[in-house]
Amino acid sequence: MDILAFGVQADEKPLIERAFSGLHDVRCVEVFLTQDTAPIAAGYETISTSVNANLSGRVLQTLAVGGTTMIAQRSTGFNNIDLEVAERLGLTIARVSFYSPYSVAEFAWTLAMAVNRRIVRASARTRDFDFRLDGLMGRDLHGRTVGVIGTGKIGEAFTRIAHGCGMNLLGWDITENPACVELGMRYVDKDELLASADLVSLHVPLLPTTHHLIGRDALRAMKDDAILVNSSRGGLIDTEALVGELRKGRFTGVGLDVYEAEAGLFFLDKSLEPIEDDTLARLVTFPQVLVTSHQAYYTEDAVGQIVAATVQNVNDYVAGRRSENFLVPKAG
């Protein structure tokens, strides 16, 4: 089968080509799937997309007209896919339901430590041979309280790191994770978590019920000197409200690997173009804010597992099998 893979990063390309070798012919392109790029998929029964692909109803219609019947997304999240339209068009949609939770958890912890210890500012200074310590004072996280919002596989891995650093553990989720409870986590309501935590880390999926989970009221409930980390989905945070709180001088640090309007920006080189997103432009000017471009998952281990699962999804589709990875039609 001929497969077109959209949004393939340079580091990712050899992994994809090697994984599909001898099974299917895969063509990798750097461009991301959008309404404008969808026509290039004409003639490909199967395509593979990245996390920031636009799989709206219009795009799905274009793909279906071009002969595409199966879409294998190389990510866990699927908030970018109009599943109702896909089902109506008879498209098969699969995702990667699991990959290394340590990749994201370790990166989330890295963001927390980087903003707490002012690593970016310190590095910029030493490049200019400025070795002063003014403005670089951080805090021990040992003995302080972490609030983990979402305690699934990634949240559990993050909790284990925080536990290893001697933090008090608070959790919020629709169900308790016994492994986190065994580590000493106490589950509380969201308001208590936000009011008590010195570090808040988000690990829930983006759903209609979690959109702007951290909105204006939630941000105001947090400690003025708290650290906020989001390595899940940008839409969990009301970014304009966050900017408003930062302008008041609140929060010791904010580490964001995701941004709610990242599509069309992240994974692309925009260094020679004016940034039209005023909210993002303002956000990155705050000295206590660190923004990275959705790279938490980007390790050899995690990407290798994502690619392997994508190959399995395509093979299952060809063989007429279904697994937990299939969203439309659903497995079982």
Side-chain angles (χ1 to χ4, degrees):
M1 176 183 292
D2 291 335
I3 301 167
L4 178 63
F6 283 94
V8 176
Q9 304 295 314
D11 296 331
E12 186 184 18
K13 183 177 180 180
L15 297 177
I16 291 177
E17 292 178 336
R18 185 161 58 247
F20 277 105
S21 179
L23 298 171
H24 308 284
D25 292 326
V26 61
R27 175 192 172 197
C28 296
V29 294
E30 294 180 4
V31 298
F32 295 93
L33 178 61
T34 65
Q35 182 63 43
D36 293 333
T37 61
I40 69 176
Y44 286 91
E45 180 181 350
T46 297
I47 67 168
S48 178
T49 57
S50 61
V51 64
N52 276 339
N54 175 359
L55 286 161
S56 64
R58 288 184 60 198
V59 173
L60 292 173
Q61 180 68 43
T62 300
L63 293 172
V65 170
T68 296
T69 57
M70 195 272 182
I71 299 169
Q73 177 143 294
R74 304 187 306 279
S75 73
T76 298
F78 52 90
N79 54 283
N80 60 319
I81 308 173
D82 191 326
L83 297 179
E84 291 184 4
V85 172
E87 187 169 12
R88 188 166 65 247
L89 293 171
L91 298 173
T92 296
I93 309 289
R95 59 150 179 171
V96 177
S97 59
F98 174 83
Y99 60 85
S100 169
Y102 309 108
S103 60
V104 179
E106 290 172 4
F107 194 85
W109 187 258
T110 300
L111 286 176
M113 293 302 296
V115 296
N116 178 41
R117 301 306 302 269
R118 315 290 193 244
I119 298 300
V120 175
R121 183 186 296 182
S123 177
R125 280 188 185 179
T126 56
R127 285 178 179 272
D128 292 331
F129 295 95
D130 178 354
F131 301 104
R132 294 173 299 158
L133 297 181
D134 296 344
L136 301 182
M137 184 174 287
R139 298 181 297 175
D140 288 2
L141 291 183
H142 182 276
R144 287 189 161 84
T145 298
V146 62
V148 184
I149 295 183
T151 56
K153 292 182 176 66
I154 296 173
E156 179 188 330
F158 184 86
T159 298
R160 291 186 182 280
I161 297 173
H163 176 262
C165 288
M167 299 195 75
N168 303 312
L169 309 174
L170 296 180
W172 179 85
D173 209 327
I174 56 175
T175 58
E176 296 186 2
N177 184 334
C180 292
V181 173
E182 187 176 344
L183 291 171
M185 174 171 279
R186 183 167 63 91
Y187 280 84
V188 297
D189 63 39
K190 181 162 67 82
D191 290 341
E192 181 178 346
L193 182 149
L194 293 173
S196 304
D198 300 291
L199 164 61
V200 175
S201 191
L202 308 182
H203 301 287
V204 294
L206 180 59
L207 304 167
T209 54
T210 60
H211 181 256
H212 285 183
L213 182 70
I214 306 300
R216 192 174 308 278
D217 291 342
L219 291 165
R220 289 176 177 174
M222 293 175 62
K223 293 181 176 182
D224 287 343
D225 60 354
I227 294 171
L228 174 62
V229 172
N230 186 12
S231 58
S232 184
R233 288 293 183 271
L236 298 176
I237 296 178
D238 182 341
T239 315
E240 289 190 10
L242 175 60
V243 168
E245 295 304 303
L246 288 166
R247 291 182 65 180
K248 298 175 185 176
R250 300 190 64 222
F251 304 132
T252 290
V254 176
L256 304 174
D257 185 51
V258 287
Y259 173 61
E260 59 182 323
E262 68 184 53
L265 290 172
F266 283 16
F267 305 145
L268 300 172
D269 182 1
K270 297 288 185 178
S271 60
L272 299 179
E273 303 176 26
I275 296 298
E276 299 178 357
D277 189 324
D278 292 337
T279 303
L280 179 60
R282 184 72 179 92
L283 186 64
V284 299
T285 65
F286 292 101
Q288 74 270 45
V289 174
L290 173 57
V291 179
T292 53
S293 55
H294 208 140
Q295 70 180 82
Y297 77 99
Y298 207 54
T299 67
E300 292 181 6
D301 310 81
V303 173
Q305 292 168 12
I306 289 169
V307 171
T310 300
V311 172
Q312 186 61 51
N313 288 342
V314 172
N315 289 339
D316 286 345
Y317 167 75
V318 172
R321 297 187 296 263
R322 295 290 180 267
S323 72
E324 63 178 350
N325 288 344
F326 282 72
L327 301 170
V328 180
K330 296 180 180 179

